[in-house]
Amino acid sequence: MNLPPLIQSFVLHFGEMGSHWGINRTVGQIYALLYVSDKPLNADDIVEAIGCSRSNTSMALKELQAWRLVKLQHLPGDRREYFSTPEDVWAIFKTLAEERQKREVEPTLTMLRGAIMETPSGDAERHAQARMNEMYQLIELVTKWFADIRDMDVETLQKLMKLGSQVQKVLQFTQSIGRLTGRDSGKEA
Amino acid sequence: MNLPPLIQSFVLHFGEMGSHWGINRTVGQIYALLYVSDKPLNADDIVEAIGCSRSNTSMALKELQAWRLVKLQHLPGDRREYFSTPEDVWAIFKTLAEERQKREVEPTLTMLRGAIMETPSGDAERHAQARMNEMYQLIELVTKWFADIRDMDVETLQKLMKLGSQVQKVLQFTQSIGRLTGRDSGKEA
DNA sequence: TCAAACTTTCAGAAATTACTGAAAACTGGA
DNA sequence: TCCAGTTTTCAGTAATTTCTGAAAGTTTGA
């Protein structure tokens, strides 16, 4: 690896983090490198910077593309492929959330639905189904909500987050207004 | 493995999911088993149900305890240790969020702070620092917000989530009220 | 203090995952 | 069409992680 220490520690950290996240080290490192780079990089730039093999780089880039985390572009008069990350950190965050939703949450919900549908034979299975249903409800609520806020514009989202738990007060306030004017402030009860 | 199909598919699914999450298969399986079980289980019950070795079970339970995801208890007149998961799925969710925060987010923030403090030598490093700073700001905002909502009571949290993106309207509404009465509705601009 | 009932540790085996180099497969001009 | 430049595939190897059995450790009650 041949990088300024500042960038190297960032790249190495993301490599390590990858392991804790089921992402292989090289993929993490390459993503980190592209994230901080001030220009798009080609595969050989990456090999040079990270110190891994050309084929490993190719695999890792394919993985990152499958996650929609890197953009592929061509530079005029250069046949090589150049890679970069989106500028907007919020967009990156949203992409990550969407992909994890698709790859991990959806299959889990499908499995849970299947299990909840089965006819239980005995108390143990009845209890298990009830537990699975609790989990199902929680995941569905949280992911619907995530999808909702994911589609907000960044401005509103930041405003909401900065408001933090004070949003409670706003809600209570609005609900009393709702009661006064006879309108319901939420989708459901 | 010796379990009703209903429960077995749940247990196996969590084993697989574990891999995508940097958690080993046995740990995932044992957690799933305890989650759906209608009574606390001891290590031998788990060995019997999952079909792994006694020592592996011991390791996995230690890991789950470190994550505060299982409770250890003793049954009267029985020297063995019995394990169970908390009843409340929201509590589980919160624990998970807290532990990931502590293990993954905190170290990342520390690394970023360190890198941002360094004196850059050249444009590339200056750019890298700017990018790291963007990431730092995002992570800090999101995690502060998470900490905030984590501490809400479940009732309020569910209300908020069901409201979804409609919270925007509430915010806009409240902000115009704020303007009219000359008060600011948020912590910051 | 001993023994029985459990739990934990740990070194090595097994399984899985990551990585490499060489070869194959593209791709866009000449 | 061919060729030079480039990317991808893949079989084998290396590294890492997981799992096991045996042994050591712990705890409780007699």
Side-chain angles (χ1 to χ4, degrees), chain B residues 120-166:
Chain B
S121 57
D123 279 348
E125 291 184 46
R126 228 179 323 275
H127 181 267
Q129 278 188 328
R131 290 292 272 164
M132 291 186 206
N133 194 49
E134 285 171 45
M135 182 181 283
Y136 184 80
Q137 299 301 329
L138 176 88
I139 296 178
E140 242 209 351
L141 182 58
V142 172
T143 57
K144 270 185 182 159
W145 179 63
F146 242 78
D148 259 10
I149 62 170
R150 215 171 48 204
D151 298 331
M152 286 182 184
D153 61 298
V154 174
E155 284 274 301
T156 313
L157 198 48
Q158 285 188 333
K159 226 174 256 169
L160 177 64
M161 289 193 173
K162 282 180 180 161
L163 196 59
S165 60
Q166 288 193 284

Side-chain angles (χ1 to χ4, degrees), chain B residues 1 33 42-55 57:
Chain B
M1 191 168 308
L33 178 67
N42 65 43
D44 287 322
D45 295 336
I46 295 170
V47 166
E48 159 78 11
I50 304 275
C52 58
S53 74
R54 183 63 186 72
S55 53
T57 302

Side-chain angles (χ1 to χ4, degrees), chain B residues 168-181:
Chain B
Q168 278 186 79
K169 289 170 193 150
V170 178
L171 283 188
Q172 279 154 13
F173 175 62
T174 319
Q175 276 167 347
S176 28
I177 300 273
R179 262 201 307 285
L180 287 172
T181 60

